[in-house]
């Protein structure tokens, strides 16, 4: 029983450390002074590259205090779009671990640990953005706005209530 609880704890700790306790609220917007990123949050299959994510985080760090609500929304959407593959991976692992035997759970946690390493850079950028957003009045308000979360879920094709279970 202790081993099972330990692995569940590891899984949840990894999950929370990567996406933060308010990932569902972290709608990542971006002030599009650089036209390369202007339409990055349009619904399409194109992933946001790590370079694009870094540019959004850098811009938020430098100019976020002067951003409008629309600029913050755009940045939040861009960041969530960038971490979408990670979120989908975590959701998949979460579904696999529910109802699995202790042995299967240990195997899933091991797989998760390996996969999380490949998302480290994205995770670090997400955490940096989250800190900047929390220091901004508008960014913080949007991170707690459930309607905005629903908007992100819809626009990024994550399905209604996706963030509720993470």
């Amino acid at each position: 029983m202790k081993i099972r609880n330990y692995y569940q704890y590891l899984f949840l700790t990894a999950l929370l450390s990567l996406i933060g306790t308010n990932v569902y609220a972290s709608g990542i917007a971006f002030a599009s002074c650089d036209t390369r990123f202007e339409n990055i949050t349009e619904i399409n299959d194109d992933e946001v590259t790590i370079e694009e994510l870094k540019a959004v985080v850098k811009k938020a760090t430098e100019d976020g205090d002067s951003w409008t609500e629309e600029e913050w929304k755009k940045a939040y959407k861009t960041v969530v779009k960038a971490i979408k593959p990670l979120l989908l991976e975590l959701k998949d692992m979460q579904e696999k671990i529910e109802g699995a035997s202790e042995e299967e759970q240990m195997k899933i946690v091991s797989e998760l640990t390996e996969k999380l390493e490949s998302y480290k850079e994205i995770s670090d950028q997400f955490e940096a953005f989250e800190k900047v957003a929390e220091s901004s009045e508008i960014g913080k308000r949007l991170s707690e706005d459930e309607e905005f979360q629903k908007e992100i879920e819809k626009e990024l094709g994550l399905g209604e209530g996706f963030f509720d279970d993470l």
Side-chain angles (χ1 to χ4, degrees):
M1 186 69 162
K2 286 185 178 184
I3 291 175
R4 180 177 183 204
N5 290 339
Y6 175 73
Y7 284 108
Q8 287 175 334
Y9 173 77
L10 280 177
F11 175 76
L12 292 174
T13 301
L15 177 68
L16 291 175
S17 70
L18 285 174
I19 60 177
T21 56
N22 292 321
V23 69
Y24 57 87
S26 295
I28 300 166
F30 161 66
S32 59
C33 297
D34 187 343
T35 57
R36 291 185 306 147
F37 308 112
E38 192 167 304
N39 296 317
I40 207 162
T41 59
E42 289 180 5
I43 300 174
N44 58 43
D45 293 333
D46 298 340
E47 289 185 14
V48 175
T49 66
I50 190 66
E51 290 78 21
E52 292 166 331
L53 178 58
K54 286 179 179 179
V56 171
V57 173
K58 181 179 179 191
K59 204 74 167 145
T61 303
E62 294 172 353
D63 303 329
D65 290 337
S66 63
W67 282 0
T68 64
E69 183 171 319
E70 286 306 308
E71 290 171 318
W72 272 108
K73 282 184 174 185
K74 192 170 187 180
Y76 267 113
K77 290 174 185 177
T78 301
V79 174
V80 172
K81 186 174 182 182
I83 66 167
K84 181 180 175 181
L86 170 61
L87 295 175
L88 294 172
E89 192 76 48
L90 290 172
K91 187 76 157 188
D92 182 52
M93 289 292 186
Q94 184 181 31
E95 290 171 1
K96 285 181 182 178
I97 209 166
E98 291 173 6
S101 70
E102 288 181 27
E103 186 177 313
E104 291 170 333
Q105 287 180 357
M106 291 190 311
K107 186 186 261 186
I108 292 168
V109 169
S110 177
E111 288 176 31
L112 177 63
T113 303
E114 290 175 25
K115 288 181 179 184
L116 293 180
E117 278 300 313
S118 66
Y119 291 109
K120 181 161 178 29
E121 192 171 17
I122 290 172
S123 175
D124 291 346
Q125 290 300 311
F126 174 77
E127 288 178 21
F129 180 83
E130 197 171 43
K131 286 179 185 175
V132 172
E134 288 295 318
S135 69
S136 162
E137 182 181 325
I138 296 171
K140 183 174 178 136
R141 183 171 31 85
L142 286 174
S143 75
E144 298 167 356
D145 184 341
E146 290 183 20
E147 289 303 313
F148 181 54
Q149 295 166 31
K150 290 177 185 176
E151 181 182 324
I152 291 173
E153 290 172 340
K154 183 178 179 182
E155 284 187 30
L156 298 180
L158 294 171
E160 190 173 322
F162 179 87
F163 295 124
D164 296 344
D165 297 329
L166 279 179

